Amino acid sequence: MPILRFLTNYLPAAGMVYSDNRRITQRDLHDTYVLESLRKAALVPKDDVSGLVAKEAKLAVDQALAGSIALLTMKQDVVTLLKDSADNYEDWGLFKSFDEIKGRTPWFKDLSSTIFLNFFYQLIEARAAWHRNPRPPFDVNQHSLTAKAIDAFFQAAGDDWATAVSCMLLLPRNET
């Protein structure tokens, strides 16, 4: 049976282009935290898995990610904070909003907001990479739930949010 040790093994692929096949957050420790959080929420198995179990886990992760992104999209103050943060990169209200969502998202509750924000940003980058260089499947209706949720988030948040989030990721924080 294959050992699926990497977070990227469980991430949705349709409509996404990841820059690294082994890491998503560019930090092994952050990927490990996200993967462990998904395991604690019983979305990803703790042991070696067969192909069928891995496929089911990937679908469960896709549903969980899409649901979390939908919560962020519906939470109007997050969208507003993202837009406002383009002018004020030190507006940490965004992190407080992520903290509020933790209680409603089982897989996210053990992650720091900084790690979640980094992970979320990399998912957005993977979706943007697909839009810059589309790969099969070309029909958006065949894309993952996560890809579709990211598109909906883009529509709600507008274009300025990506600059704000990337600048916030560069600011020093006391979280691992």
Side-chain angles (χ1 to χ4, degrees):
M1 280 187 221
I3 300 173
L4 300 178
R5 294 186 178 124
F6 302 114
L7 175 60
T8 53
N9 294 125
Y10 296 102
L11 296 179
M16 310 288 278
V17 177
Y18 300 102
S19 62
D20 186 334
N21 288 332
R22 207 187 107 212
R23 273 190 304 221
I24 179 92
T25 65
Q26 311 310 313
R27 291 185 178 182
D28 287 333
L29 189 57
H30 286 196
D31 274 19
T32 299
Y33 287 152
V34 174
L35 187 57
E36 283 305 310
S37 186
L38 292 168
R39 283 188 175 127
K40 284 182 186 176
L43 295 170
V44 172
K46 296 182 188 319
D47 302 317
D48 296 353
V49 296
S50 67
L52 180 60
V53 173
K55 188 174 182 177
E56 290 171 356
K58 195 170 191 168
L59 180 60
V61 168
D62 186 25
Q63 292 171 339
L65 293 177
S68 298
I69 294 166
L71 279 174
L72 289 171
T73 304
M74 290 186 297
K75 190 161 174 45
Q76 190 58 43
D77 62 331
V78 171
V79 173
T80 301
L81 284 167
L82 284 168
K83 289 179 178 179
D84 292 347
S85 295
D87 297 323
N88 180 9
Y89 298 127
E90 295 182 7
D91 181 358
W92 298 112
L94 178 61
F95 288 96
K96 290 178 185 170
S97 291
F98 284 144
D99 287 338
E100 290 173 21
I101 292 173
K102 281 184 181 186
R104 296 173 56 192
T105 310
W107 72 270
F108 174 25
K109 69 180 179 181
D110 293 331
L111 291 177
S112 72
S113 293
T114 301
I115 292 173
F116 177 79
L117 186 60
N118 183 3
F119 177 58
F120 179 60
Y121 181 74
Q122 296 304 326
L123 289 173
I124 296 292
E125 278 296 307
R127 182 61 176 158
W130 184 90
H131 280 295
R132 287 190 301 271
N133 184 17
R135 298 177 186 177
F138 296 108
D139 181 359
V140 177
N141 293 320
Q142 295 177 355
H143 288 187
S144 65
L145 297 173
T146 299
K148 293 175 191 175
I150 290 169
D151 287 346
F153 183 85
F154 264 117
Q155 285 183 325
D159 296 331
D160 292 337
W161 74 270
T163 302
V165 171
S166 61
C167 288
M168 292 173 106
L169 286 170
L170 297 174
L171 292 171
R173 302 256 314 150
N174 291 331
E175 298 183 47
T176 306

